[in-house]
Amino acid sequence: HPHKMEMRDSITEWMWPAFESEMFNKAMVYETDDNHFQIRKWNGYWPDVQAEIPLIERMARRADLVTVSTNPIRDAYSHLNSNLRVIRNAIDPSIYTTSRTRPELGGDKPRVVYYGSTARMRDYGGFPDERGKWEGGYAGKGIQDLRKELWNVFIGVNPGTEHVIAPFFDEAYPYVENIRQFAETLAASHGDIGIAPLGGDEFDRCKSELHWLEYAMVGAAFIGEGFKYGDAPYSMVNHGVDGLVVRGRQQWFDAVKSLVRSKDLREQLAGAAKERVLKEYDYKDRAKEWADAFKWAVEHKGIWKNGRRDTLNT
């Protein structure tokens, strides 16, 4: 009989009451990199997340410490637990290498790279709002306006969706799950410019700066989505120094044009970004933060009884 993949983590749900028991006295850390409470229906994980929201809330409440990758995610979980800590993402610099030479496709045109999965095309090409009005897609529109001056590359095509990608990109690579293989694929794309558009809702606001980190490691100048107010994924980018952060069609067009037409600017932004990433985002340094978080959780471990946390005497 054929097997069907079950995305929901039923085993954890069945076992969870044991972790809430007074007999369980181990320290517990709940880690998340997404705001599950704001996930949208277009996301392929939406049905599974909706079914697991009650379990997610129980886990976050029970944890001795909740760790997140951004300030907006911290705020989203603060109603469930007062013990929260932001530990930002990090990278392993050694894996962003390739032995493959720069592809001849596109000639000497600047290579603009975008990675994600086919679902993320909503951020690139836009999406209909609740009234059916088309919104967003400013990155895609800006790039299409300059299509003759650049070579457009996408990494992350899901099987069977090649027809969705083909009209917008000159070159495409399949979705890669393995982290090391993805890093090698990204390096092998030899991007001169790396883009990170977002739709701009509250789910998107909680995303991290991972695209900036990874584009920096392969030497691509960065353009990322800006938000009108508040902390956002690329708030930490120094605009005009180690990347560009833009909003709206005109800003996206101007940013792409400036990088496509200036090799010096591309190299300046990419070089500054890589220098900063190596200094501030190496996983070896971040490991110390994780060790401190685990130590804190052990020293402050407790269990929940009737909705409130009781500290154990250890």
Side-chain angles (χ1 to χ4, degrees):
H1 298 285
H3 294 280
K4 179 182 178 182
M5 183 176 179
E6 176 62 63
M7 295 302 296
R8 287 192 61 196
D9 185 4
S10 301
I11 295 177
T12 300
E13 190 167 359
W14 295 333
M15 294 178 60
W16 189 249
F19 295 110
E20 292 176 318
S21 169
E22 296 180 17
M23 300 296 292
F24 186 84
N25 66 350
K26 301 293 184 181
M28 186 174 296
V29 176
Y30 179 85
E31 155 67 12
T32 184
D33 191 37
D34 271 322
N35 179 357
H36 297 97
F37 309 113
Q38 294 290 344
I39 193 168
R40 297 297 188 255
K41 290 184 178 180
W42 61 263
N43 192 305
Y45 293 111
W46 184 84
D48 305 296
V49 172
Q50 292 305 300
E52 291 187 343
I53 285 293
L55 177 61
I56 291 170
E57 292 179 338
R58 287 170 65 185
M59 294 171 75
R61 286 194 179 100
R62 166 61 184 86
D64 300 296
L65 178 66
V66 175
T67 57
V68 297
S69 56
T70 73
N71 292 326
I73 303 179
R74 177 197 60 196
D75 296 341
Y77 276 78
S78 62
H79 69 289
L80 297 172
N81 199 316
S82 60
N83 298 324
L84 298 110
R85 185 175 301 198
V86 177
I87 303 179
R88 305 202 76 92
N89 277 324
I91 47 87
D92 178 354
S94 69
I95 66 175
Y96 293 90
T97 60
T98 181
S99 59
R100 285 185 272 178
T101 58
R102 185 181 178 94
E104 295 182 1
L105 295 171
D108 59 357
K109 292 181 180 179
R111 296 172 63 83
V112 180
V113 175
Y114 177 39
Y115 79 77
S117 66
T118 303
R120 303 308 305 191
M121 281 297 292
R122 70 178 287 277
D123 296 328
Y124 181 89
F127 53 93
D129 64 11
E130 295 178 351
R131 297 167 296 175
K133 181 181 178 182
W134 202 256
E135 290 191 345
Y138 304 120
K141 292 181 177 69
I143 288 172
Q144 293 305 312
D145 289 343
L146 296 161
R147 188 74 178 271
K148 294 181 180 179
E149 299 182 43
L150 55 85
W151 190 257
N152 211 13
V153 183
F154 183 78
I155 302 174
V157 183
N158 299 115
T161 64
E162 292 78 6
H163 65 287
V164 177
I165 302 298
F168 301 97
F169 293 88
D170 303 302
E171 185 179 332
Y173 297 82
Y175 186 86
V176 183
E177 291 189 1
N178 181 278
I179 294 176
R180 286 182 176 272
Q181 291 177 3
F182 166 76
E184 199 276 337
T185 299
L186 183 62
S189 71
H190 290 272
D192 298 298
I193 302 166
I195 65 169
L198 288 168
D201 59 25
E202 290 306 303
F203 178 74
D204 292 333
R205 180 185 295 279
C206 289
K207 289 191 168 297
S208 75
E209 64 269 42
L210 186 59
H211 274 69
W212 176 73
L213 300 179
E214 298 198 300
Y215 286 139
M217 289 310 303
V218 298
F222 177 80
I223 309 175
E225 191 76 45
F227 282 65
K228 190 174 182 179
Y229 62 88
D231 201 347
Y234 305 114
S235 296
M236 31 56 61
V237 173
N238 297 313
H239 178 74
V241 177
D242 48 32
L244 300 177
V245 182
V246 297
R247 295 181 64 250
R249 180 167 185 169
Q250 190 61 51
Q251 289 187 13
W252 266 101
F253 175 81
D254 291 343
V256 174
K257 181 176 70 173
S258 67
L259 292 183
V260 165
R261 296 181 179 179
S262 176
K263 181 179 179 181
D264 289 343
L265 181 58
R266 295 198 301 267
E267 292 179 346
Q268 175 187 327
L269 296 182
K274 188 171 185 178
E275 181 179 355
R276 184 176 166 205
V277 169
L278 291 173
K279 182 179 179 179
E280 299 180 15
Y281 287 88
D282 192 296
Y283 79 96
K284 294 178 182 177
D285 295 322
R286 197 69 79 242
K288 299 173 184 176
E289 296 181 45
W290 279 108
D292 185 68
F294 294 146
K295 183 174 182 288
W296 188 95
V298 170
E299 293 174 347
H300 297 80
K301 68 179 179 178
I303 59 173
W304 291 83
K305 297 178 181 178
N306 299 321
R308 57 179 296 182
R309 184 172 184 273
D310 293 325
T311 302
L312 294 172
N313 294 317
T314 57

